[in-house]
Structure formats: C-alpha cells, structure tokens
Amino acid sequence: GEDVEQSLFLSVREGDSSVINCTYTDSSSTYLYWYKQEPGAGLQLLTYIFSNMDMKQDQRLTVLLNKKDKHLSLRIADTQTGDSAIYFCAESGSITSGTYKYIFGTGTRLKVLA
Amino acid sequence: KAGVTQTPRYLIKTRGQQVTLSCSPISGHRSVSWYQQTPGQGLQFLFEYFSETQRNKGNFPGRFSGRQFSNSRSEMNVSTLELGDSALYLCASSLMQNSGANVLTFGAGSRLTVL
C-alpha cells in the first residue's frame, strides 16, 4: 500500500545545515511536498517538487528527489532556532489526473540547539 | 486575505457524546479536507469534499461524518465519542495551482479531548 516514512527526530546546532529524509512507495506520485508544523498550529507549506524534477532550491531550502529510489530530502541551510518544528513529507497525484489524495509521512521533529 | 478558520479551537467532551467541528476555507477554495492528528498515528486522512460532494474518504468508522455547504464551509461530526478520538482535527482547503499541484492551506485545528 501507499506509505511515506520519515525518521522521527533530528537535532542540529544553530548555523549548521539540517537534512530531513523521506521515502515513499507510490511511484505514480506526481508531486512531493514539504510542510512545517510549529507548536499549536496547523501545517504550513514550505515547498513542493514535481516528480520529473530532481532538485529545487528556494532560499535556504533545497529539495532533492531521487525518483528511482523513491527518496526525497529537505536541506535547510544555516538552520536557526526558529526552524525548530515538525516537518512533514507528503505525496499526491495531480488534480488533472484525478489522483489528488495526499499521503503524509509521520513527521520529523527538528530541534535546533543554540 | 483570511486564512482557514476552524472552530472551536479547544473542546472537552465525555465518552458517548457527539461533537461538531466547523471549518471555513479560504475564499474561492472549493476543496476542504479533514485530518486527525495524534501523537501515535500521525496525520490520518478523514475525508475530502469538493462542491458539496465527498470526493475521498479515509479508513475511519462511520461515527465520523462530514458535509460541505454551498459556500464551501465544511463541518465534521463525530458521534458516540471514544477516548481514542482525542486528537487535533485539522482542516485544509485547497486551490489547484497553475502547475497542477494541490497545495493545502491548513487551519490551526480543533483540539478535542474526550474524558
């Protein structure tokens, strides 16, 4: 069945880079997303990547996609204490194909140490 | 532009009661999805509505139901509450991007505690 897996915890020092990893099983996924959840809040979209791309950069964020291995990663450069949150990986099809159902990963809790 | 609004933010119920949660999507968004978030199970998809029709449904018992109104506002109902229904219930509305991606905008959630 469809499944998205992430490691549960990651701890880094302020100023270092953080790399959060995700593996998924549905090879028909069209889009892969990263969402961030801060305490007491809902999820907020960080970025997404189309499945025919292998990299996307957006300011401090770099997304790498290895479609062959079904592996997605999110790199946060110069990690700040404000980046401490839970990060969710998610996959979906495309609305135009009708397979737009989301599958979320378990979430990775990132703790940034000052 | 107002975000996704969920009410109530917090509520406490006892076993056997029923609860109704409300979600007002971003203006112009016609799709509304509901998720249950618990520490043990993570984010679990409940259902999705589009133009007043349930388009997708997750693996939850029939005690969980929902509906969407003509103004795209949505409600979900849980009947005969159980202790295990204690969770953060998240609503998300979406609008298809020009790229075809289905980007979700989440509300802050309704935290339900069942005693």
Side-chain angles (χ1 to χ4, degrees):
Chain A
E2 304 153 336
D3 199 12
V4 178
E5 293 190 357
Q6 302 176 237
S7 52
L8 291 180
F9 299 101
L10 176 65
S11 179
V12 300
R13 294 209 172 274
E14 191 174 21
D16 287 350
S17 292
S18 308
V19 179
I20 303 171
N21 294 300
C22 168
T23 58
Y24 60 98
T25 56
D26 188 354
S27 58
S28 68
S29 294
T30 309
Y31 291 94
L32 294 124
Y33 307 79
W34 285 103
Y35 283 82
K36 175 184 179 183
Q37 185 180 32
E38 296 182 0
L43 280 69
Q44 170 192 359
L45 177 74
L46 286 176
T47 187
Y48 65 89
I49 188 168
F50 188 48
S51 58
N52 70 351
M53 298 169 63
D54 50 23
M55 187 183 93
K56 181 178 180 182
Q57 187 151 4
D58 184 359
Q59 299 181 4
R60 292 191 298 121
L61 305 179
T62 303
V63 177
L64 295 178
L65 174 61
N66 182 328
K67 197 172 180 181
K68 173 176 167 289
D69 294 338
K70 300 191 184 70
H71 182 266
L72 182 74
S73 67
L74 173 70
R75 178 177 180 269
I76 306 173
D78 187 26
T79 312
Q80 303 298 305
T81 54
D83 294 324
S84 293
I86 303 175
Y87 291 80
F88 290 90
C89 164
E91 60 174 348
S92 81
S94 72
I95 289 181
T96 49
S97 70
T99 56
Y100 30 70
K101 182 179 170 183
Y102 260 72
I103 305 294
F104 280 92
T106 49
T108 299
R109 185 179 295 273
L110 173 65
K111 184 173 181 179
V112 182
L113 306 172
Chain B
K1 191 175 184 182
V4 177
T5 304
Q6 291 189 245
T7 55
R9 287 292 315 276
Y10 303 92
L11 66 166
I12 300 173
K13 294 283 188 178
T14 56
R15 279 181 296 174
Q17 287 187 311
Q18 66 94 27
V19 67
T20 299
L21 309 177
S22 178
C23 173
S24 293
I26 289 175
S27 178
H29 287 198
R30 294 165 63 190
S31 169
V32 174
S33 304
W34 287 90
Y35 292 83
Q36 182 195 64
Q37 186 178 22
T38 59
Q41 298 296 317
L43 268 170
Q44 301 289 312
F45 172 73
L46 281 155
F47 24 65
E48 186 232 352
Y49 288 88
F50 181 85
S51 293
E52 301 178 68
T53 300
Q54 187 180 85
R55 196 161 62 171
N56 279 299
K57 189 176 187 308
N59 293 328
F60 278 81
R63 299 185 298 108
F64 291 80
S65 63
R67 59 179 175 168
Q68 186 180 32
F69 302 95
S70 58
N71 62 357
S72 293
R73 190 178 72 85
S74 178
E75 288 182 347
M76 67 162 282
N77 184 277
V78 187
S79 62
T80 320
L81 284 165
E82 301 177 358
L83 295 179
D85 297 332
S86 294
L88 180 66
Y89 290 87
L90 292 165
C91 165
S93 70
S94 67
L95 181 67
M96 187 178 75
Q97 305 295 301
N98 290 335
S99 63
N102 181 25
V103 172
L104 301 180
T105 303
F106 282 83
S110 293
R111 183 165 295 281
L112 170 66
T113 302
V114 181
L115 302 177

